[in-house]
Amino acid sequence: MSTIFAKIINREIPANIVFENENVIAFKDINPQAPVHILVVPKKEIPTLNDIKPEDKNLIGEIYLAIGEIAKDFNIAENGYRVITNCNQYGGQEVFHIHFHILGGEPIGPMRA
């Protein structure tokens, strides 16, 4: 693994980690786009959504359970939040290790094309 996320997982670079278990890590985004902006990353390197395999289904479920826990911990669950995952260049993916953005803490406008 050689992405910035792999370096965070391996503790080679610092991050403000807010959640971690055996398979998932979550940390504050260094360029937040909302008052709460957390990245949730599997510790297993999966480059894009297109690379998820059937054997990863439990891991993906675990990620979504972590997202719910994090939303509650940051007091955004009740008012709502957005979860975004980008896939490949045209989808806006910059780091090729799947990750899920949790955005909340204020009203979020409509999605734009």
Side-chain angles (χ1 to χ4, degrees):
M1 293 202 290
S2 60
T3 68
I4 189 170
F5 296 158
K7 291 177 181 175
I8 290 170
I9 292 164
N10 293 324
R11 304 300 199 272
E12 296 171 25
I13 59 174
N16 189 343
I17 297 170
V18 299
F19 176 93
E20 184 172 17
N21 66 24
E22 182 180 336
N23 300 310
V24 178
I25 190 166
F27 45 89
K28 291 185 176 181
D29 193 294
I30 60 170
N31 185 23
Q33 303 299 306
V36 175
H37 188 169
I38 307 293
L39 298 177
V40 184
V41 180
K43 290 183 177 179
K44 176 182 178 182
E45 186 176 31
I46 303 172
T48 75
L49 288 174
N50 298 328
D51 299 303
I52 296 172
K53 306 285 186 233
E55 59 267 21
D56 298 322
K57 67 182 176 184
N58 289 336
L59 174 59
I60 300 305
E62 191 172 341
I63 289 167
Y64 275 96
L65 289 171
I67 288 169
E69 286 184 41
I70 294 163
K72 289 174 190 167
D73 289 347
F74 279 83
N75 298 312
I76 60 173
E78 187 173 318
N79 287 332
Y81 55 96
R82 183 173 287 162
V83 178
I84 298 174
T85 304
N86 303 318
C87 185
N88 281 325
Q89 180 182 0
Y90 283 14
Q93 187 175 5
E94 295 178 11
V95 179
F96 285 85
H97 183 142
I98 64 167
H99 54 286
F100 301 79
H101 297 258
I102 304 171
L103 300 159
E106 68 184 12
I108 298 173
M111 298 289 290
R112 293 198 172 110

